[in-house]
Amino acid sequence: MPASPFLIEVEHVTKQVGDSTGVLTILHDIHFALAARESAAIVGASGSGKSTLLSIIAGLDVPTSGTVKLAGKDLFQLDEDERAAVRAKRMGFVFQNFQLLAHLTALENVMLPLELLGRRDARDHAREMLQRVGLGERLTHYPKLLSGGEQQRVALARAFVVKPAVLLADEPTGSLDFATGERVMELMFEMNREAGTTLLLVTHDRGIAARCQQQIRIEAGRVVPGATA
């Protein structure tokens, strides 16, 4: 069988949860695929299931049925520790609320994923990446001393420092004002092109979504037909 041309394959993913009223279907039969270096935006109203889908693609949540493949490997044939290892080596993450560790400096936050991989050159690579995002003078600053835009640039540096095959971003400008968000997104797309990373982001911003090669619109847990081209 020939190798798949796709880096990410989401195959008929359904996610259901039970509550006191019965079974709630959050995602219903979601399927799409992304090639290496391709960019895609998952768009839709709040509560449509976008972030749940991103969490499943990251292997952080488990679908009720269906699966996700990364470079042909079924994430849900792996155990939790194996999925964590895949995330550490092959995925970068950027979140709306930055997810920086408050007790670590900017440099230490960016060093962390490299240290978890056992890299002895973590400090040098982290310093270079912070310089790349324009924060070479903020290496020893803690998150509380950085602006929102600076914190998100630290998060970008942390995401890209491991040279991930996939970058997953969940509302990366949601906590930023318009002008700051524009600058952060320009930097994200620029770094993504340089790194040759496959980019998958959740956004409410139509302008950001329009910059991606593919738009995947989710409504009430379903992909809108014709919205993935």
Side-chain angles (χ1 to χ4, degrees), residues 104-110 130 138-142 146 154:
L104 299 181
T105 65
L107 181 63
E108 290 165 343
N109 266 283
V110 180
L130 282 166
R138 297 285 194 271
L139 301 180
T140 60
H141 285 57
Y142 291 91
L146 300 173
V154 173

Side-chain angles (χ1 to χ4, degrees), residues 117-177:
L117 291 173
R119 293 278 295 273
R120 295 189 177 185
D121 55 359
R123 182 173 296 273
D124 289 341
H125 281 285
R127 183 182 293 110
E128 290 172 7
M129 189 59 69
L130 282 166
Q131 290 171 342
R132 170 65 185 84
V133 300
L135 294 176
E137 303 301 317
R138 297 285 194 271
L139 301 180
T140 60
H141 285 57
Y142 291 91
K144 67 180 180 180
L145 300 177
L146 300 173
S147 68
E150 287 173 334
Q151 289 186 62
Q152 196 60 298
R153 282 189 278 158
V154 173
L156 280 178
R158 181 183 59 189
F160 279 106
V161 77
V162 296
K163 299 181 179 179
V166 177
L167 179 68
L168 302 176
D170 193 355
E171 297 286 1
T173 63
S175 296
L176 306 175
D177 63 72

